[in-house]
Amino acid sequence: MLPGQKHPVQHDVTMPAIELQKVSVRYDQTVALDSVTLRLNRGDRVAVVGPNGAGKSTLFHVIAGVVRPQEGQVRIYGSGPGGHICVGYVPQRKVIDWDFPVTVTDVVMMGRVGKMGFLRWPSRHDRDVVRAALDEVGMSAFANRQIGELSGGQQQRVFLARVLAQEAELLLMDEPLTGLDMPSQEVILSLIDRIQRNGVTVMVASHDLNQASEQFPLILLLNRSVIAFGPP
Ligand code: ADP
């Protein structure tokens, strides 16, 4: 949340940020999530740790409302998922088409779509919010560059700026540190820290238990079902 911005009204921050009750997801024969029950409070910072195929991305898709579980209940700040502009989702870098011709400013402005609605031109306020978000992540100098031209760490910073511009209350990042050098990882971790200190709930997927244990106060060990959840 940037200074002076208002909370969106589509959710209730007094409710738990995430409540999953016995959520199961299957893709044909594959069980991706098996009876996952989980409750996170506003401002929690959680690493979701598990091997490849453990269901981490599926869990994020369920929380973001893009995958509907076959069984179970999902509540995000008290209401059903989907159509929630308070969820900021940063997918794995490898699933993004980096050749798509958009500028850094375009990417961050996409975060405003939920606020401005489709087919409306950005207002001066939208543009100010985007500029402030880019400033906050130290990427103002790259505003007119094509997103595909940036380094991995810079791309992640731009996606965090998009989450700031969106005024998200819940940040989901899928393997944000994979493939980044140490200095870039530290920049991303300190930005995540800053976002969380503003009351945003943060979930980060990782396959590196050691790193997650050092950086996150709460660990969710996932292997289709919840193996453990708590402090490292
Ligand atoms: P992770 O993010 O931990 O690697 P995923 O959630 O991507 O795990 O995948 C969990 C399981 O579900 C894997 O076996 C994967 O192959 C399968 N899966 C994920 N998405 C799909 C899909 N769209 N269609 C079919 N199977 C899928």
Side-chain angles (χ1 to χ4, degrees):
M1 180 85 38
L2 296 168
Q5 288 177 350
K6 286 200 297 252
H7 284 277
V9 294
Q10 283 82 349
H11 63 278
D12 178 354
V13 293
T14 64
M15 300 294 286
I18 297 175
E19 269 187 305
L20 303 187
Q21 274 287 340
K22 298 189 173 172
V23 165
S24 297
V25 174
R26 284 179 301 275
Y27 302 104
D28 299 323
Q29 308 303 324
T30 310
V31 176
L33 292 177
D34 182 16
S35 197
V36 169
T37 294
L38 174 69
R39 181 190 167 118
L40 299 191
N41 293 314
R42 177 165 192 257
D44 277 347
R45 190 160 64 120
V46 183
V48 182
V49 182
N52 280 336
K56 303 183 294 295
S57 303
T58 301
L59 178 67
F60 284 4
H61 291 157
V62 165
I63 293 167
V66 293
V67 166
R68 267 179 199 281
Q70 281 88 357
E71 284 158 40
Q73 295 280 326
V74 182
R75 309 295 282 175
I76 308 298
Y77 287 108
S79 46
H84 253 274
I85 63 170
C86 75
V87 181
Y89 176 49
V90 182
Q92 281 187 48
R93 292 186 52 245
K94 69 177 186 202
V95 304
I96 297 171
D97 176 7
W98 295 106
D99 293 330
F100 199 77
V102 286
T103 66
V104 164
T105 297
D106 294 334
V107 170
V108 181
M109 188 62 80
M110 286 170 205
R112 297 296 301 166
V113 166
K115 289 276 157 65
M116 32 187 237
F118 274 115
L119 307 176
R120 218 207 72 204
W121 290 106
S123 66
R124 164 179 272 178
H125 174 66
D126 293 317
R127 271 192 263 277
D128 286 347
V129 169
V130 167
R131 251 194 300 272
L134 280 172
D135 201 36
E136 178 121 4
V137 303
M139 288 298 291
S140 298
F142 297 83
N144 297 319
R145 293 277 283 274
Q146 296 289 312
I147 186 79
E149 293 172 5
L150 305 184
S151 72
Q154 290 170 332
Q155 288 165 343
Q156 292 288 6
R157 278 150 72 180
V158 172
F159 276 89
L160 284 173
R162 185 173 75 165
V163 169
L164 288 170
Q166 183 187 344
E167 301 168 305
E169 291 292 341
L170 177 56
L171 167 60
L172 308 173
M173 294 188 89
D174 205 343
E175 302 271 359
L177 305 180
T178 302
L180 302 189
D181 56 25
M182 280 311 277
S184 302
Q185 291 190 11
E186 273 158 27
V187 170
I188 298 303
L189 284 167
S190 76
L191 282 171
I192 291 173
D193 243 15
R194 205 150 13 129
I195 289 172
Q196 184 240 349
R197 269 187 266 122
N198 287 338
V200 175
T201 310
V202 176
M203 288 183 97
V204 169
S206 170
H207 56 256
D208 185 340
L209 179 57
N210 288 332
Q211 184 179 51
S213 308
E214 282 165 20
Q215 304 290 349
F216 288 82
L218 288 170
I219 306 283
L220 173 70
L221 280 181
L222 186 72
N223 202 357
R224 289 194 277 276
S225 53
V226 175
I227 308 297
F229 178 51

